[in-house]
């Protein structure tokens, strides 16, 4: 602070000083008082009380029931699970083990896709940690927990001010026995754009080191060239490469043969050849109907030798039937979510599936009573996030028309509200369908789904029909993501791009047909480290550097907020979203053995300069903070 004061002093800046400048200029020694952790936390709570939480209606803090955390004995050891199998037998051994299993294996997506799809990805590490030990002890027979990647990486930094790597580390500590699975967007890693090849390698290595075992890899256009590198990187890391075919269209519809059974079988064979340990059918929108699932899995079981893992979303309400038909056709592993976090845009209910297969020759072996306990916890926690629910109250077979991925539905809805199109959501969905056809009927999954979404919002916002786009397109400034899509930054769609629309969108700009990674220069990690340390004024590790490379602005914003409020991940969720009620008292464990007792006493009146003073008690002592009222 002293040096800062010197170099910012007006006399110093204008050069009007001599050697007595420092001795005679007393204010150089007046340092801004660094806020302690308690004050920072009170400032966050005060600011939430006054201004609310972004994206949530401001108002009275609702009352919530205390979540039912199942009681497990600390002394009870974690039963051995698939994590130990991988450690002992390596990826090849694990694959042989899967093939030798009589039972149907299960992946629980509650920690990732379920809340990405139902609650706009907002579930906080705090709530995951409360149930982690119980999950490891009560559901040790799961094949894996999908708990990281996809949109959680960016959202945890952007909206929750959390470090995604820390989430991974902490969960790994508390769940040492079940395989951890992540969703990796091929050459887009956990971002929305292609990254240079050395970034993909490094990202995979860091994730493997931090605790990821199974990497579900997909390309948003099913372009195999976009997946090879990630498959190789996972292979080198000694972990499991689960390569995905993204399912779109309907193999049983004779009028929709762009994505036929043969198309998927050929793609699956290529992925097996590319080195995948497991094949995933990634039905991100829930379009795989029960009888189509049977045909597809039966064909794949005949044509490929690696295990098959099915992922779907229950938006139509049909997907438990799809899982049962997949079971009949011999699928090896399927995804579900705990029942209170299942259904609709999320995965089908794990509990329901376990019950449905009881007594069958390949029953799952999971304990329904234990699954119920885990589901009860999530039933209690889900209301914290009510403000992020989509409002969808029942299944909808409209999904077969708009084909929007489950993980996108709530997020695009939020995005539409954000640009003032909340009332025109029906039109947005319709435009989404139109845009897909204009783009040549493409696979829609992050980030290609985001491009379709951006274009749909653009058309609704500007009141453009399809015909308008072709007629007035030369004068329209298309969203950046759409331009990049047509340039080839996301890869190449099956059947290529529609020529006419590409010409209109690109307006003479270049496009390419090779991998974007081949064109992008490798990142110099040492240089980035130096640049980042200068920006944040502290030493950074490889994980910070990777977060910054993926999301530079989001990372820096998060640093700034951490500087102001400290570590707000220690707050329980109701307070994080809604602050405190008058007279309410909470205990905050800021580190092991150190607890702050915070009580809200009163909220002061608005001052002429637009501030409010908030009066608290901190560990019994009066404390006040002043925050700006933004209303
Ligand atoms: C993601 O990429 O985040 C997805 O969930 C895609 O389905
Ligand atoms: Zn999904």
């Amino acid at each position: 602070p002293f040096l800062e004061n010197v170099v910012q002093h007006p006399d110093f800046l204008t050069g009007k000083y001599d050697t007595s400048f420092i001795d005679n200029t007393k204010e150089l020694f007046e340092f801004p008082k660094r806020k302690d952790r308690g004050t920072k936390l009170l400032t966050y709570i005060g600011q939430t009380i006054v201004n609310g939480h972004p994206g949530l209606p401001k108002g009275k803090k609702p009352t919530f029931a205390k979540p039912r955390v199942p009681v497990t004995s600390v002394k009870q050891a974690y039963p051995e699970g698939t994590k130990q199998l991988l450690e002992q037998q390596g990826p090849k051994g694990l694959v042989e083990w899967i093939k030798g299993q009589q039972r149907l294996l299960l992946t629980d997506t509650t920690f990732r896709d379920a809340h990405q799809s139902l609650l706009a990805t907002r579930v906080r590490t705090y709530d995951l940690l409360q149930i982690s030990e119980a999950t490891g002890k009560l559901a040790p027979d799961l094949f894996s927990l999908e708990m990281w990647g996809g949109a959680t990486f960016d959202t945890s930094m952007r909206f929750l001010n959390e470090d995604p790597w820390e989430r991974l580390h902490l969960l790994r500590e508390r769940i040492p026995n079940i395989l951890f699975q992540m969703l990796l967007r091929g050459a887009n890693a956990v971002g929305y754009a292609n990254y240079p090849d050395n970034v993909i390698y490094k990202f995979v290595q860091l994730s493997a080191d931090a605790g990821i075992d199974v990497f579900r890899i997909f390309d948003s256009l099913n372009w195999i060239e976009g997946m090879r590198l990630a498959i190789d990187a996972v292979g080198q890391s000694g972990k499991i490469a689960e390569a995905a075919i993204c399912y779109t269209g309907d193999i049983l519809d004779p009028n929709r043969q762009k994505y036929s059974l043969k198309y998927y079988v050929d793609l699956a064979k290529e992925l097996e050849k590319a080195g995948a340990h497991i094949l995933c059918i990634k039905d991100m929108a829930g379009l795989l109907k029960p009888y189509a699932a049977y045909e597809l899995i039966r064909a794949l079981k005949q044509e490929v030798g690696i295990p098959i893992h099915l992922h779907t979303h229950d938006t139509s309400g049909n997907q438990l039937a799809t899982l049962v038909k997949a079971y009949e056709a011999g699928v090896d592993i399927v995804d579900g979510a705990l029942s209170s976090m299942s259904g609709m845009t999320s995965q089908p209910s794990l509990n329901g599936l376990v019950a449905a297969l009881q007594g069958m020759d390949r029953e799952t072996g999971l304990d329904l009573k234990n699954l119920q306990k885990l589901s009860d916890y999530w039933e209690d926690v889900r209301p914290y996030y009510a403000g992020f629910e989509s409002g969808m109250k029942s299944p909808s077979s409209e999904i077969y028309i708009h084909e929007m991925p489950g993980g996108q539905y709530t997020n695009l809805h939020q995005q539409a509200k954000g640009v003032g199109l909340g009332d025109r959501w029906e039109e947005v969905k319709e435009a989404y369908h139109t845009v897909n056809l204009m783009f040549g009927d493409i696979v829609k999954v992050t980030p290609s789904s985001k491009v379709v979404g951006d274009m749909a919002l653009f058309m609704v916002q500007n009141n453009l029909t399809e015909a308008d786009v072709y007629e007035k397109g030369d004068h329209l400034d298309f969203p950046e993501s759409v331009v990049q899509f047509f340039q080839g930054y996301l890869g190449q769609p099956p059947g290529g791009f529609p020529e006419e629309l590409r010409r209109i969108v690109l307006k003479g700009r270049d496009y390419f047909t090779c991998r974007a990674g081949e064109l992008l220069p490798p990142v110099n990690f040492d240089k980035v480290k130096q640049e980042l340390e200068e920006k944040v004024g502290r030493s950074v590790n490889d994980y910070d550097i990777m977060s910054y490379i993926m999301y530079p602005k989001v990372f820096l914003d998060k640093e700034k907020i951490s500087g102001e409020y400290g570590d707000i991940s220690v707050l329980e969720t109701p307070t994080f979203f809604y602050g405190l009620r008058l007279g309410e008292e909470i205990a905050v464990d800021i580190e092991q053995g150190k607890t702050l007792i915070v009580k809200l006493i009163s909220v002061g009146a608005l001052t002429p300069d637009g501030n409010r003073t908030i009066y608290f008690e901190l560990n019994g002592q009066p404390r006040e903070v002043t925050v700006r009222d933004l209303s």
Side-chain angles (χ1 to χ4, degrees):
F2 175 71
L3 261 182
E4 249 169 67
N5 283 356
V6 172
V7 295
Q8 285 169 9
H9 196 279
D11 289 356
F12 181 84
L13 290 174
T14 50
K16 284 192 295 180
Y17 60 91
D18 56 31
T19 47
S20 62
F21 167 68
I22 287 170
D23 294 336
N24 300 337
T25 316
K26 291 285 173 274
E27 68 263 33
L28 293 178
F29 293 90
E30 289 163 13
F31 306 142
K33 219 170 110 205
R34 289 226 180 269
K35 282 198 239 166
D36 60 87
R37 278 193 288 183
T39 307
K40 285 182 179 179
L41 214 52
L42 296 186
T43 309
Y44 176 78
I45 298 172
Q47 121 79 26
T48 304
I49 292 168
V50 172
N51 296 313
H53 185 89
L56 289 179
K58 213 175 98 178
K60 208 165 151 253
K61 182 179 186 177
T63 41
F64 300 101
K66 194 170 156 32
R68 285 164 283 173
V69 180
V71 184
T72 51
S73 159
V74 187
K75 289 197 214 100
Q76 179 199 338
Y78 287 87
E80 288 211 344
T82 44
K83 175 73 177 164
Q84 280 69 47
L85 263 168
L86 177 63
E87 279 164 1
Q88 289 153 13
Q89 303 185 15
K92 286 219 171 72
L94 188 86
V95 167
E96 287 314 308
W97 176 84
I98 297 170
K99 287 194 199 167
Q101 287 300 293
Q102 165 76 3
R103 66 194 175 107
L104 175 70
L105 298 174
L106 299 176
T107 292
D108 178 7
T109 64
T110 307
F111 282 26
R112 203 285 299 182
D113 206 1
H115 75 90
Q116 179 171 330
S117 302
L118 292 174
L119 307 173
T121 333
R122 292 307 204 282
V123 167
R124 298 173 67 234
T125 299
Y126 188 98
D127 295 317
L128 297 170
L129 288 177
Q130 304 297 310
I131 195 67
S132 288
E133 186 184 334
T135 303
K137 291 183 177 173
L138 298 180
D141 294 322
L142 284 169
F143 170 71
S144 65
L145 284 172
E146 196 209 27
M147 41 60 70
W148 209 67
T152 62
F153 192 92
D154 130 53
T155 311
S156 60
M157 291 196 284
R158 192 190 296 268
F159 298 117
L160 308 175
N161 214 60
E162 289 185 2
D163 176 357
W165 300 100
E166 188 179 38
R167 172 180 298 186
L168 175 51
H169 279 120
L170 292 171
L171 290 176
R172 189 77 275 180
E173 271 171 30
R174 285 164 178 76
I175 310 178
N177 55 340
I178 304 173
L179 291 174
F180 273 6
Q181 177 161 338
M182 78 164 289
L183 185 66
L184 183 71
R185 300 168 179 158
N188 309 306
V190 286
Y192 294 87
N194 265 238
Y195 294 100
D197 292 355
N198 70 336
V199 170
I200 300 299
Y201 266 98
K202 182 98 177 175
F203 183 87
V204 166
Q205 193 55 53
L206 289 174
S207 310
D209 292 347
I212 294 295
D213 305 298
V214 182
F215 291 77
R216 177 173 288 166
I217 303 160
F218 71 95
D219 178 81
S220 78
L221 297 169
N222 273 347
W223 195 43
I224 184 134
E225 301 312 320
M227 287 191 261
R228 279 190 209 284
L229 193 86
I231 295 174
D232 287 346
V234 174
Q236 280 186 21
S237 75
K239 302 292 186 168
I240 297 167
E242 179 180 300
I245 50 181
C246 296
Y247 183 84
T248 194
D250 181 358
I251 53 168
L252 297 184
D253 180 348
N255 300 319
R256 197 80 194 278
Q257 287 300 300
K258 178 164 183 181
Y259 300 98
S260 62
L261 181 61
K262 180 171 182 317
Y263 165 81
Y264 292 115
V265 171
D266 289 348
L267 189 55
K269 284 185 183 164
E270 282 197 68
L271 291 172
E272 182 176 28
K273 252 193 269 157
H277 297 111
I278 299 177
L279 178 75
C280 173
I281 302 165
K282 181 173 162 54
D283 179 22
M284 59 281 169
L287 303 176
L288 181 62
K289 294 173 184 168
Y291 292 97
Y294 187 83
E295 291 300 320
L296 179 59
I297 285 159
R298 210 174 48 157
L300 290 173
K301 286 302 286 181
Q302 281 165 4
E303 301 284 342
V304 299
I306 51 179
I308 298 175
H309 193 161
L310 175 60
H311 171 83
T312 188
H313 289 252
D314 199 23
T315 315
S316 70
N318 277 338
Q319 296 314 89
L320 194 61
T322 289
L323 295 188
V324 170
K325 292 304 285 182
Y327 165 87
E328 287 178 2
V331 73
D332 297 275
I333 318 168
V334 301
D335 285 6
L338 289 166
S339 59
S340 56
M341 290 288 282
S342 74
M344 290 198 271
T345 53
S346 173
Q347 276 63 63
S349 160
L350 208 60
N351 310 50
L353 181 65
V354 169
L357 297 182
Q358 268 175 341
M360 299 293 117
D361 54 356
R362 293 178 60 218
E363 66 179 332
T364 66
L366 265 86
D367 184 316
L368 259 187
K369 277 207 197 96
N370 284 346
L371 289 184
Q372 186 59 46
K373 289 183 193 163
L374 298 174
S375 176
D376 287 346
Y377 169 82
W378 286 106
E379 183 173 304
D380 296 339
V381 165
R382 186 167 168 176
Y384 298 165
Y385 300 93
F388 301 106
E389 300 254 6
S390 71
M392 191 174 176
K393 293 226 166 24
S394 55
S396 164
S397 22
E398 191 191 23
I399 188 69
Y400 298 119
I401 300 165
H402 61 61
E403 302 187 334
M404 201 182 287
Q408 184 180 26
Y409 197 92
T410 49
N411 289 288
L412 186 64
H413 198 190
Q414 290 284 330
Q415 214 183 323
K417 283 189 206 161
V419 294
L421 295 178
D423 294 345
R424 298 176 69 188
W425 179 231
E426 290 306 314
E427 285 174 73
V428 173
K429 284 188 285 186
E430 211 169 298
Y432 191 95
H433 169 73
T434 307
V435 170
N436 176 48
L437 296 179
M438 289 167 73
F439 284 7
D441 190 2
I442 59 167
V443 172
K444 292 163 294 302
V445 60
T446 323
S448 63
S449 53
K450 181 173 182 307
V451 180
V452 175
D454 288 348
M455 180 74 176
L457 289 176
F458 175 77
M459 285 173 67
V460 175
Q461 221 168 2
N462 295 292
N463 299 308
L464 298 168
T465 61
E466 178 177 358
D468 291 337
V469 171
Y470 294 107
E471 275 160 32
K472 306 177 194 163
D474 290 339
H475 308 288
L476 292 171
D477 253 339
F478 291 96
E480 189 54 26
S481 65
V482 176
V483 174
Q484 290 190 351
F485 168 69
F486 280 100
Q487 284 184 293
Y489 276 101
L490 299 190
Q492 305 296 312
F497 290 95
E499 292 292 334
E500 167 74 351
L501 190 57
R502 175 157 66 183
R503 188 192 58 72
I504 292 171
V505 171
L506 292 188
K507 301 184 173 52
R509 270 174 281 213
D510 278 346
Y511 63 85
F512 52 90
T513 53
C514 64
R515 275 189 322 109
E518 284 168 34
L519 305 176
L520 300 167
V523 165
N524 179 337
F525 294 107
D526 291 334
K527 215 167 130 224
V528 176
K529 180 173 162 72
Q530 208 180 350
E531 170 192 314
L532 182 57
E533 289 187 340
E534 271 164 31
K535 284 196 169 138
V536 300
R538 65 172 177 94
S539 66
V540 296
N541 59 26
D542 285 356
Y543 297 111
D544 296 323
I545 295 168
M546 189 51 71
S547 301
Y548 174 68
I549 290 171
M550 294 278 136
Y551 291 98
K553 181 170 182 318
V554 176
F555 181 86
L556 293 177
D557 287 350
K558 174 175 126 30
E559 278 287 306
K560 191 159 163 270
I561 292 173
S562 301
E564 217 166 305
Y565 299 137
D567 178 11
I568 47 180
S569 71
V570 294
L571 286 171
E572 27 82 49
T573 300
T575 303
F576 178 82
F577 284 141
Y578 297 100
L580 290 174
R581 290 182 211 95
L582 284 180
E584 189 183 357
E585 184 177 279
I586 53 163
V588 187
D589 295 327
I590 54 170
E591 62 183 70
Q592 202 155 20
K594 197 160 177 126
T595 303
L596 300 179
I597 308 292
V598 179
K599 184 173 178 181
L600 176 64
I601 304 300
S602 68
V603 178
L606 190 63
T607 61
D609 51 358
N611 292 328
R612 285 181 193 274
T613 302
I614 320 288
Y615 300 90
F616 292 98
E617 262 175 33
L618 182 69
N619 294 338
Q621 301 296 314
R623 272 290 184 95
E624 54 184 68
V625 296
T626 302
V627 298
R628 177 155 291 278
D629 188 330
L630 302 173
S631 61

